[in-house]
Amino acid sequence: MIDNLITALGAEFVQLSLTPIVIGILGAVACALPGNFLLLRRQALIGDAISHVVLPGIVAAFLVTGTITAVPMMIGAGCAAIVAVILIEIVKRLGRVEPGAAMGLVFTTLFAAGVLFLEMTDTSSVHIDVQHALLGNLESLIWFDAEGWQSLLDPVALATLPPQLPRLAVVLVGIVLFITLFWKELKISTFDAAFAEAIGIRTRVLGFALVVVTAIAAVAAFDAVGSIIVIAMFVCPPAAARLMTNQLGRQIGWSVAFAVISAILGYVFAGYGPGWFGSPYAVSAAGMIATISGIILLLACLFGPQRKRTGQRAEA
């Protein structure tokens, strides 16, 4: 009887919870990895900016193509990023304002335009609305054809996995390959851009490539986990990891660990936490994952070994 109960619970977990947790982990790690370099370059808010920009591009791509497949979404997000760059230059030159002020104006305006498009168009049938844009749809990414742990070895069942999972997996592999192939160049240009230029490293091209990788991670994670997790994972795990160590390799390891812990604990607490306090309702998984990542950052600020030396640069 106990064996049957364990089997039933395992089947329910694999069908309802395994894929959302894995997708949350993939999205969190995919954002945290480039976030480490953005943080050390003092460009951590680029992830926030990109998350704001991609929304109107994604909505416009859907309105034009009528589909939410990956290629139109990527093209729409890329076009939105180009428009954002052009608008920033226009605002800087015509308004004679600082770059930070121009970026803030353009990014918030584009995000507001994206929200307005969502409210004015009928996109709820394909899970593109304000709620999904902000909080994602982790809870709905159910593996319907799973019948238990044995489904992980069943090619037929694996073919019915939510498409967000293989998409994020491919993006994560690409990010890992990018960091691995350009590890030396990224380290040198991050810590000493002038020296990197002197030895022939094209820092501007590498910086642009890093922003492109960041944009790809943001777009891939946007549909599944929403902008809240995307923004939080670009900043919180790398920042917490920076407070744990002063070496780049270890920092990346810490950030991945923090991202994984945030995704797992956030999903568990969102689904089961309210019940522990007698509430019959669940809360948003995306919001709880972002909350857990913030709590980890707070603990790192209070107890991290590097908390008193945050003004120092990390070591390669």
Side-chain angles (χ1 to χ4, degrees):
M1 180 176 179
I2 296 178
D3 292 340
N4 292 335
L5 178 61
I6 294 175
T7 301
L9 292 176
E12 180 180 353
F13 172 80
V14 172
Q15 185 181 63
L16 301 179
S17 299
L18 179 62
T19 48
I21 291 175
V22 173
I23 291 172
I25 291 173
L26 293 176
V29 175
C31 294
L33 286 175
N36 285 281
F37 296 97
L38 296 176
L39 178 74
L40 294 172
R41 291 166 178 251
R42 303 185 187 277
Q43 298 174 337
L45 291 182
I46 285 182
D48 184 7
I50 292 174
S51 300
H52 284 76
V53 169
V54 298
L55 179 58
I58 289 174
V59 177
F62 168 74
L63 295 178
V64 172
T65 64
T67 179
I68 57 172
T69 54
V71 174
M73 297 297 100
M74 296 290 289
I75 295 175
C79 292
I82 295 174
V83 170
V85 172
I86 296 173
L87 289 177
I88 289 171
E89 290 298 322
I90 292 175
V91 171
K92 284 195 302 183
R93 295 184 180 184
L94 296 182
R96 296 181 179 179
V97 298
E98 295 181 354
M103 289 175 61
L105 175 63
V106 171
F107 291 147
T108 53
T109 301
L110 288 176
F111 187 74
V115 173
L116 183 62
F117 290 158
L118 288 176
E119 293 293 340
M120 294 177 60
T121 57
D122 184 17
T123 56
S124 58
S125 60
V126 292
H127 303 293
I128 301 180
D129 52 32
V130 174
Q131 178 182 356
H132 286 96
L134 295 176
L135 301 178
N137 59 338
L138 266 179
E139 295 86 349
S140 66
L141 301 179
I142 300 172
W143 189 8
F144 290 101
D145 290 349
E147 299 179 353
W149 293 104
Q150 66 274 14
S151 297
L152 296 174
L153 302 177
D154 185 359
V156 177
L158 290 173
T160 63
L161 281 167
Q164 289 86 350
L165 195 155
R167 185 187 311 162
L168 277 171
V170 171
V171 169
L172 179 57
V173 171
I175 293 173
V176 172
L177 288 176
F178 170 77
I179 293 176
T180 302
L181 292 175
F182 297 98
W183 176 255
K184 181 180 68 175
E185 291 81 0
L186 285 169
K187 284 198 303 182
I188 297 174
S189 62
T190 296
F191 297 119
D192 194 337
F195 176 70
E197 287 279 359
I199 63 175
I201 296 176
R202 303 177 66 181
T203 56
R204 292 186 179 182
V205 175
L206 190 62
F208 177 76
L210 180 62
V211 173
V212 170
V213 169
T214 302
I216 292 174
V219 173
F222 190 88
D223 175 50
V225 300
S227 62
I228 288 180
I229 291 184
V230 172
I231 295 170
M233 290 302 146
F234 274 126
V235 178
C236 290
R242 175 67 183 87
L243 295 168
M244 299 301 296
T245 180
N246 207 33
Q247 296 183 0
L248 179 58
R250 294 179 181 177
Q251 175 182 321
I252 291 178
W254 276 107
S255 69
V256 171
F258 288 150
V260 172
I261 292 172
S262 299
I264 295 175
L265 293 184
Y267 188 86
V268 171
F269 287 158
Y272 303 101
W276 299 338
F277 297 95
S279 174
Y281 305 104
V283 297
S284 166
M288 184 57 69
I289 292 174
T291 300
I292 295 297
S293 67
I295 292 174
I296 291 175
L297 177 57
L298 175 62
L299 293 176
C301 290
L302 295 176
F303 305 108
Q306 298 294 326
R307 66 187 185 278
K308 296 181 180 179
R309 296 190 290 171
T310 54
Q312 297 181 2
R313 300 295 297 271
E315 298 175 359

